[in-house]
Amino acid sequence: MNRYDIAVIGTGPAGISAAITAKIRNKNVLLLGSRDLSAKISKAHRIDNYVGLPAVSGSELAERLRGHLDNVGVNITERQVGAVYSMGDYFALQIGEEMLEATSVIVATGVVQAKALEGEEKFLGRGVSYCATCDGRLYKGKTVAVLGYSAESAEEALYLSEIVDTVIYFPMNDELPEERSNIKIIREKPLAIVGDNTVTALKTEAGEHKTSCVFVLRDAIMPDKLIPGVETDGAHIKVDINMKTNINGLFACGDIAGKPYQYIKAAGQGNIAALSAITYLNSIKKEV
Ligand SMILES: Cc1cc2nc3c(=O)[nH]c(=O)nc-3n(C[C@H](O)[C@H](O)[C@H](O)COP(=O)(O)OP(=O)(O)OC[C@H]3O[C@@H](n4cnc5c(N)ncnc54)[C@H](O)[C@@H]3O)c2cc1C
């Protein structure tokens, strides 16, 4: 299997900046995210504090960033990373049913704003899942609930409908899955995930819906769920001034590494994270 030098997770200003620096320094880079980059870029009406681009609109900044990636030859791999496992001298990244490998990882996933639902943490792995592609097969012939927060949720619900008996879909954004006889759309606010040893139902403001699993499909996963063993401080990954985390070879930058939430700070930290990852790669080469 091809092992990348550096895998960068996230296509906001932090991840893009990290990928550009790594590529300029001739590293074999994998950039994971979306060609649409980040909703936090495209939704900004006008940005006045990005150096060199006064009064730029979010969509124009996105266009410039995409152009910069194209200019240095970084491709975006449009996949959501489900988990990152430290394997000692490399990392395994779970992407759907596939595993990819990288010697170092830069986490630039932005910050997760959503508060976990009651029961979400308690039942994680016992009827709560963040990845339909990874866990869908476990619920063959059963009823599952999907909380569709992310842009890909509607598509993931379609995938699930081919495996499970019934999908009850709770739209949390404007996207709806294509009509299928076994997908029921329910517009109620989810309140809690309930069960005994495993999940039995999703509680909403209007009552309870029986289900064997609740797929919580957000744009970003809480960092300690994404990377088992990483040290966090609330919603943030703890980093030092060089963007190093407590795990050797793992770096974090941008909003996920703490406040202030600003484009230029995210881009600057992305640059530092890439340079630190390069220093790390050089140091392990010397050890061999
Ligand atoms: C409406 C709005 C206006 C703003 N205006 C300003 C402003 O004027 N000036 C300013 O400085 N800041 C502004 N900000 C703040 C700024 O948007 C953020 O600080 C900045 O986008 C953070 O960049 P980031 O790269 O850390 O994360 P993000 O921009 O959040 O990007 C993270 C990316 O990673 C992707 N991702 C997450 N998890 C995964 C995964 N598991 N696998 C693959 N991809 C993943 C996400 O989908 C997202 O695309 C604004 C924010 C908003 C919402």
Side-chain angles (χ1 to χ4, degrees):
M1 184 191 288
N2 175 27
R3 186 174 296 173
Y4 294 90
D5 293 326
I6 303 176
V8 180
I9 310 172
T11 40
I16 292 170
S17 164
I20 288 171
T21 295
K23 179 74 183 183
I24 289 171
R25 294 288 293 269
N26 287 324
K27 296 300 162 202
N28 180 8
V29 188
L30 171 68
L31 174 60
L32 294 144
S34 161
R35 189 78 194 153
D36 292 335
L37 305 188
S38 156
K40 287 191 183 166
I41 302 176
S42 48
K43 283 194 180 150
H45 177 64
R46 179 180 140 148
I47 301 152
D48 286 310
N49 63 346
Y50 201 92
V51 175
L53 296 175
V56 68
S57 69
S59 53
E60 196 189 338
L61 179 60
E63 212 38 61
R64 297 281 193 123
L65 293 170
R66 259 192 300 268
H68 200 160
L69 286 172
D70 292 343
N71 182 265
V72 295
V74 174
N75 294 318
I76 296 171
T77 300
E78 292 205 275
R79 301 295 298 275
Q80 181 90 3
V81 178
V84 178
Y85 302 104
S86 168
M87 311 297 287
D89 59 347
Y90 75 98
F91 293 86
L93 289 87
Q94 186 174 32
I95 298 164
E97 288 178 349
E98 213 182 330
M99 279 289 190
L100 294 180
E101 292 181 4
T103 308
S104 66
V105 172
I106 296 176
V107 186
T109 49
V111 79
V112 182
Q113 302 282 9
K115 207 171 150 250
L117 275 181
E118 190 186 322
E120 185 178 323
E121 290 217 359
K122 180 177 169 193
F123 290 110
L124 187 61
R126 293 187 291 132
V128 169
S129 169
Y130 296 127
C131 177
T133 322
C134 318
D135 297 333
R137 282 170 197 214
L138 302 174
Y139 300 97
K140 207 170 167 190
K142 301 202 168 153
T143 295
V144 302
V146 173
L147 309 188
Y149 294 92
S150 73
E152 295 83 26
S153 302
E155 219 170 282
E156 301 258 302
L158 284 185
Y159 165 73
L160 284 171
S161 73
E162 287 160 16
I163 304 169
V164 305
D165 181 67
T166 307
V167 175
I168 41 179
Y169 189 85
F170 295 79
M172 298 292 150
N173 58 22
D174 299 336
E175 309 266 335
L176 284 180
E178 222 175 83
E179 263 184 49
R180 294 263 167 100
S181 59
N182 66 342
I183 301 183
K184 287 187 202 159
I185 309 289
I186 299 186
R187 295 178 192 278
E188 292 168 15
K189 188 177 173 205
L191 295 180
I193 297 166
V194 293
D196 307 315
N197 271 339
T198 57
V199 167
T200 55
L202 176 73
K203 199 167 153 190
T204 70
E205 53 195 355
E208 273 193 14
H209 298 272
K210 284 197 173 154
T211 180
S212 302
C213 180
V214 180
F215 287 93
V216 185
L217 304 183
R218 297 199 182 94
D219 276 327
I221 305 167
M222 284 298 276
D224 50 346
K225 306 286 178 304
L226 181 68
I227 313 140
V230 78
E231 229 182 291
T232 56
D233 180 5
H236 301 133
I237 295 177
K238 279 192 188 174
V239 289
D240 70 7
I241 198 169
N242 295 312
M243 305 297 118
K244 281 187 195 173
T245 69
N246 64 310
I247 299 174
N248 238 355
L250 185 92
F251 305 85
C253 52
D255 286 3
I256 192 68
K259 290 182 178 177
Y261 300 152
Q262 292 280 285
Y263 297 117
I264 201 80
K265 173 261 191 188
Q269 286 191 338
N271 170 266
I272 299 171
L275 295 174
S276 297
I278 292 163
T279 304
Y280 169 76
L281 291 170
N282 290 340
S283 73
I284 55 172
K285 223 188 256 168
K286 268 190 208 147
E287 280 172 20
V288 177

